[in-house]
Amino acid sequence: MPYIALITLVVRDYDEALAFYTGSLGFELVEDTDRGDGSRWVVVRPPGTGHGTALLLARAKDEAERASVGAQTGGRVGFFLHTEDFARDHARMTAAGVRFLEEPRHETYGSVAVFEDLYGNRWDLLQPK
Protein backbone atom coordinates (compact mmCIF):
# COMPACT_ATOMS: atom_id res chain seq x y z
CA MET A 1 0.00 0.00 0.00
CA PRO A 2 1.47 3.41 -0.91
CA TYR A 3 2.16 5.87 1.88
CA ILE A 4 3.68 9.32 2.24
CA ALA A 5 7.29 8.77 3.28
CA LEU A 6 8.71 12.32 3.31
CA ILE A 7 7.44 15.86 3.48
CA THR A 8 9.89 18.59 2.49
CA LEU A 9 10.29 21.48 4.89
CA VAL A 10 12.35 24.36 3.49
CA VAL A 11 14.76 25.71 6.13
CA ARG A 12 17.35 28.51 6.33
CA ASP A 13 20.17 26.36 7.66
CA TYR A 14 20.60 22.61 8.14
CA ASP A 15 22.32 22.77 11.51
CA GLU A 16 19.91 25.21 13.17
CA ALA A 17 16.98 23.16 11.87
CA LEU A 18 18.55 19.95 13.17
CA ALA A 19 19.14 21.54 16.57
CA PHE A 20 15.48 22.53 16.81
CA TYR A 21 13.92 19.34 15.51
CA THR A 22 16.19 16.92 17.38
CA GLY A 23 16.74 19.07 20.47
CA SER A 24 13.58 21.05 21.12
CA LEU A 25 11.09 18.64 19.55
CA GLY A 26 12.98 15.44 20.38
CA PHE A 27 12.88 14.04 16.83
CA GLU A 28 15.44 11.46 15.78
CA LEU A 29 17.94 12.02 13.02
CA VAL A 30 17.32 9.40 10.34
CA GLU A 31 19.88 10.54 7.77
CA ASP A 32 22.33 13.37 7.17
CA THR A 33 24.20 12.78 3.94
CA ASP A 34 26.47 15.27 2.18
CA ARG A 35 25.40 15.38 -1.45
CA GLY A 36 28.76 16.78 -2.61
CA ASP A 37 27.38 20.02 -4.02
CA GLY A 38 27.03 21.95 -0.76
CA SER A 39 23.62 20.45 -0.06
CA ARG A 40 22.69 17.65 2.31
CA TRP A 41 19.94 15.03 2.49
CA VAL A 42 18.67 15.57 6.05
CA VAL A 43 15.76 13.50 7.36
CA VAL A 44 14.20 13.63 10.84
CA ARG A 45 11.10 12.05 12.37
CA PRO A 46 9.41 11.72 15.74
CA PRO A 47 10.95 8.96 17.86
CA GLY A 48 9.46 5.50 17.76
CA THR A 49 7.57 5.99 14.50
CA GLY A 50 9.58 3.40 12.56
CA HIS A 51 8.84 3.95 8.91
CA GLY A 52 6.23 6.66 9.47
CA THR A 53 6.22 9.94 7.62
CA ALA A 54 9.43 11.91 8.11
CA LEU A 55 10.58 15.45 7.32
CA LEU A 56 13.18 16.19 4.69
CA LEU A 57 14.91 19.38 5.84
CA ALA A 58 15.88 21.17 2.63
CA ARG A 59 18.02 24.30 2.82
CA ALA A 60 16.65 27.17 0.75
CA LYS A 61 18.89 27.67 -2.25
CA ASP A 62 17.62 30.93 -3.77
CA GLU A 63 15.60 34.03 -2.91
CA ALA A 64 12.24 32.49 -3.86
CA GLU A 65 12.85 29.51 -1.58
CA ARG A 66 14.15 31.72 1.24
CA ALA A 67 10.91 33.74 1.01
CA SER A 68 8.90 30.56 1.63
CA VAL A 69 10.74 29.57 4.81
CA GLY A 70 8.20 29.63 7.64
CA ALA A 71 5.27 30.32 5.32
CA GLN A 72 4.87 27.08 3.42
CA THR A 73 1.24 26.69 4.51
CA GLY A 74 0.15 30.32 4.26
CA GLY A 75 0.05 30.89 8.02
CA ARG A 76 -2.23 27.92 8.70
CA VAL A 77 -1.40 24.94 10.86
CA GLY A 78 0.29 22.66 8.38
CA PHE A 79 1.81 19.95 10.55
CA PHE A 80 0.21 17.72 13.17
CA LEU A 81 2.38 16.08 15.81
CA HIS A 82 0.38 13.36 17.58
CA THR A 83 1.27 12.27 21.10
CA GLU A 84 0.08 9.65 23.54
CA ASP A 85 0.81 11.94 26.52
CA PHE A 86 -0.10 15.54 25.81
CA ALA A 87 0.78 16.94 29.25
CA ARG A 88 4.23 15.31 29.27
CA ASP A 89 5.15 16.43 25.76
CA HIS A 90 3.72 19.93 26.18
CA ALA A 91 5.76 20.39 29.38
CA ARG A 92 8.95 18.98 27.79
CA MET A 93 8.60 21.13 24.69
CA THR A 94 7.83 24.26 26.71
CA ALA A 95 10.91 23.64 28.87
CA ALA A 96 12.97 23.24 25.67
CA GLY A 97 11.88 26.70 24.51
CA VAL A 98 9.20 25.75 21.98
CA ARG A 99 6.86 28.72 21.51
CA PHE A 100 3.20 27.80 21.99
CA LEU A 101 0.72 30.30 20.58
CA GLU A 102 -2.08 29.32 22.93
CA GLU A 103 -2.84 27.51 26.13
CA PRO A 104 -3.74 23.84 25.77
CA ARG A 105 -7.36 23.21 24.73
CA HIS A 106 -9.45 20.14 25.36
CA GLU A 107 -11.71 19.67 22.36
CA THR A 108 -14.14 16.90 21.44
CA TYR A 109 -11.42 15.38 19.23
CA GLY A 110 -8.64 15.58 21.85
CA SER A 111 -6.15 17.82 23.64
CA VAL A 112 -4.38 20.33 21.41
CA ALA A 113 -2.15 23.41 21.40
CA VAL A 114 -0.66 25.28 18.44
CA PHE A 115 3.08 25.92 18.43
CA GLU A 116 5.57 27.40 15.99
CA ASP A 117 8.81 25.89 14.84
CA LEU A 118 11.90 28.08 14.71
CA TYR A 119 10.81 29.51 11.34
CA GLY A 120 7.19 30.27 12.21
CA ASN A 121 5.56 27.21 10.64
CA ARG A 122 2.52 26.32 12.71
CA TRP A 123 2.04 22.89 14.21
CA ASP A 124 -0.61 21.23 16.37
CA LEU A 125 0.57 19.15 19.29
CA LEU A 126 -2.39 16.80 19.49
CA GLN A 127 -3.44 13.89 21.65
CA PRO A 128 -6.47 12.44 19.88
CA LYS A 129 -9.30 11.07 22.00
Side-chain angles (χ1 to χ4, degrees), residues 3-111:
Y3 64 96
I4 296 173
L6 292 171
I7 296 174
T8 298
L9 188 65
V10 181
V11 301
R12 278 191 308 252
D13 178 82
Y14 294 118
D15 293 326
E16 73 179 2
L18 271 174
F20 179 81
Y21 285 98
T22 62
S24 299
L25 293 190
F27 284 20
E28 62 187 16
L29 176 62
V30 175
E31 183 176 355
D32 185 353
T33 302
D34 185 331
R35 296 182 62 195
D37 60 359
S39 68
R40 292 159 49 188
W41 185 263
V42 180
V43 178
V44 297
R45 71 172 163 235
T49 57
H51 293 291
T53 304
L55 293 176
L56 172 65
L57 304 178
R59 187 185 65 206
K61 63 183 179 203
D62 58 32
E63 194 54 44
E65 289 183 11
R66 282 188 286 281
S68 74
V69 172
Q72 295 181 140
T73 60
R76 296 189 61 138
V77 171
F79 306 94
F80 300 82
L81 183 59
H82 282 204
T83 176
E84 295 175 350
D85 189 335
F86 180 88
R88 175 200 66 208
D89 290 334
H90 182 268
R92 180 187 54 75
M93 290 166 64
T94 299
V98 174
R99 183 165 129 29
F100 281 87
L101 303 180
E102 62 183 11
E103 293 299 314
R105 295 179 281 124
H106 304 286
E107 304 288 351
T108 57
Y109 56 85
S111 298

